[in-house]
Amino acid sequence: MIRIGTVWDRTCAVIAGRAGLLAWLAGLFLFLPSLLQTILRFVAASGGAGGGFKGLVALVGLAVAALAIWGVLAMTAMASDPAVDRHEAIALARRRLPAAIGLLLVAMLVTLIVVAVPMAWLLAGNVDMAKLQQGAQPVIDPARAGSALIGFLILGLLALWISARLIPLFAVIANEQRGFGAFARAFALTRGSTLKLLGVMILYAVLAVVLLTAVTWVLGSVGQILLGRNGAFLLVALTTSVLTAGFSVIQAMFSAQFYVAAREQLDHA
């Protein structure tokens, strides 16, 4: 049985032991791209930005997403094997980047289909499009809406369960030459630990949301008074980018250490 406490202790040990390298990777692949994207979005939303600039913002968003995946893969590789240094981790992550993007796109497509089907079922036959175009509020059958809400609740719980089972997915991608088999491997590694991982996910999400909300509100309010609107925005953007990068590092390190522990248990069973 995998002890989450042991996994967390190993996670803290890796972060402490390789803090400098992790900070370098997080800064290059997570912090700086995210900060640039936030600033560009602010400029675009401020008015005066043409279609070309908005297109640039969209392209930058795609690049930021790709860099984030690359960085997480590199950090995961370092956390999974102490012998892997920064250059080896970046090179390995670059080779596995197409596979990671492809698997994530498949997961997103499946999620879209699962969500779109009940949404279409909810709306089909219950919305008068002519009245809707005239500005009227759509009318939905209460009985069907209630059934759909129950369906969405079930889908939400299913999504959480699947997310827990896929926690070591990036570690599998970084360390094993698998295609779609990475999904099955992640499910095998998390067998028997789903509830524990769900608890970790929920706790992590609550702490992240509370901390980000508190920091944004406090710095936004203080910055508005001391630095003005633009200064407050830059201060909040800088701080949230740092926190988001830090949360991503912790998540990657935990996933990698869980993968190592689960692999040892599964392969020696």
Side-chain angles (χ1 to χ4, degrees), residues 73-195:
L73 283 173
M75 290 185 289
T76 301
M78 286 180 54
S80 303
D81 186 353
V84 175
D85 61 18
R86 184 181 67 190
H87 299 291
E88 291 174 333
I90 292 175
L92 185 151
R94 184 181 66 248
R95 293 193 299 269
R96 300 301 295 156
L97 181 60
I101 293 176
L103 291 174
L104 286 178
L105 288 176
V106 170
M108 291 172 60
L109 179 61
V110 172
T111 302
L112 178 63
I113 293 173
V114 169
V115 173
V117 169
M119 180 66 75
W121 178 82
L122 170 63
L123 297 177
N126 289 280
V127 177
D128 190 331
M129 297 305 296
K131 293 183 177 180
L132 186 62
Q133 291 176 351
Q134 297 173 1
Q137 293 293 326
V139 179
I140 300 176
D141 181 9
R144 178 168 291 188
S147 300
L149 287 176
I150 296 175
F152 280 123
L153 177 60
I154 295 173
L155 288 173
L157 295 175
L158 177 62
L160 283 175
W161 179 81
I162 294 175
S163 297
R165 300 301 300 269
L166 293 179
I167 276 182
L169 179 63
F170 265 53
V172 173
I173 296 172
N175 291 281
E176 304 180 17
Q177 298 295 322
R178 297 176 184 265
F180 292 114
F183 290 115
R185 176 65 166 170
F187 268 64
L189 291 169
T190 54
R191 186 177 296 117
S193 301
T194 307
L195 292 179

Side-chain angles (χ1 to χ4, degrees), residues 21-61:
L21 295 177
L22 290 173
W24 190 92
L25 289 172
L28 179 63
F29 288 99
L30 300 176
F31 169 69
L32 291 177
S34 175
L35 182 61
L36 174 62
Q37 181 185 27
T38 302
I39 293 174
L40 290 177
R41 284 179 175 176
F42 176 75
V43 173
S46 297
F53 185 81
K54 292 181 179 179
L56 174 63
V57 173
L59 290 176
V60 169

